């Protein structure tokens, strides 16, 4: 006796293939959502970091400008006679100018100029007397 084919034999296979496709789509959707949410959180975090760093930089620049305008020592650095001496090649005036300028704008206490292995100029924040030969190279 021959069995009559009704198409019900293919139903379990079609259900298995459909469930496999749905499972695969669910896995892809999960990883896509995870990547989108992670990227969004990183963008928010980086945005806050940029804002914080911008505020810090602007505050630092404001402090530098305030210290410049409040200090006669900085203003006198831009004296025309000093500029003329520097432009004419007076190295001593140039070294003094750059030393005072560097100490005013950077958080350092000591600046020195070395030429051919010898300390030819140094400047300290509080005009300390330092033996240049004792300083590390």
């Amino acid at each position: 006796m021959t069995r009559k084919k009704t198409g019900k034999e293919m139903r379990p296979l079609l259900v298995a293939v459909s469930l496999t496709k749905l499972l695969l789509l669910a896995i892809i959707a999960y990883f896509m959502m995870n990547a989108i949410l992670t990227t969004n959180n990183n963008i928010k975090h980086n945005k806050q970091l940029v804002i914080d760093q911008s505020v810090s930089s602007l505050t630092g620049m404001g402090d530098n400008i305030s210290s410049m305008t409040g200090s006669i020592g900085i203003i006198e650095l831009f004296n025309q006679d000093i500029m003329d001496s520097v432009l004419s090649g007076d190295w001593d005036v140039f070294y003094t100018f750059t030393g005072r300028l560097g100490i005013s704008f950077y958080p350092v206490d000591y600046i020195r100029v070395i030429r051919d292995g010898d300390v030819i100029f140094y400047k300290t924040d509080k005009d300390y007397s330092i033996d240049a030969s004792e300083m590390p190279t």
Side-chain angles (χ1 to χ4, degrees), residues 41-84:
N41 287 337
N42 288 341
I43 288 171
K44 287 179 184 177
H45 177 71
N46 290 341
K47 180 180 175 183
Q48 188 60 41
L49 284 177
V50 167
I51 291 170
D52 292 344
Q53 289 300 318
S54 297
V55 168
S56 175
S57 296
L58 291 173
T59 303
M61 284 190 286
D63 292 343
N64 284 344
I65 291 171
S66 295
S67 68
M68 279 176 40
T69 57
S71 172
I72 298 300
I74 298 297
I75 295 171
E76 71 184 18
L77 284 177
F78 298 101
N79 184 341
Q80 187 63 43
D81 295 333
I82 293 174
M83 292 294 135
D84 291 339

Side-chain angles (χ1 to χ4, degrees), residues 2-49:
T2 61
R3 241 170 120 182
K4 193 174 181 186
K5 297 193 178 196
T6 61
K8 290 184 181 180
E9 298 83 11
M10 293 298 289
R11 272 196 192 153
L13 179 62
L14 288 175
V15 169
V17 169
S18 296
L19 287 177
T20 304
K21 284 183 181 180
L22 285 176
L23 181 64
L24 184 62
L25 288 175
I27 291 171
I28 291 171
Y30 169 77
F31 284 111
M32 286 179 62
M33 287 302 295
N34 189 20
I36 290 169
L37 291 175
T38 302
T39 303
N40 195 21
N41 287 337
N42 288 341
I43 288 171
K44 287 179 184 177
H45 177 71
N46 290 341
K47 180 180 175 183
Q48 188 60 41
L49 284 177

Side-chain angles (χ1 to χ4, degrees), residues 121-135:
F121 174 80
Y122 74 90
K123 177 79 176 143
T124 61
D125 186 24
K126 306 280 192 248
D127 290 328
Y128 297 120
S129 177
I130 297 175
D131 184 7
S133 64
E134 293 179 6
M135 296 302 294

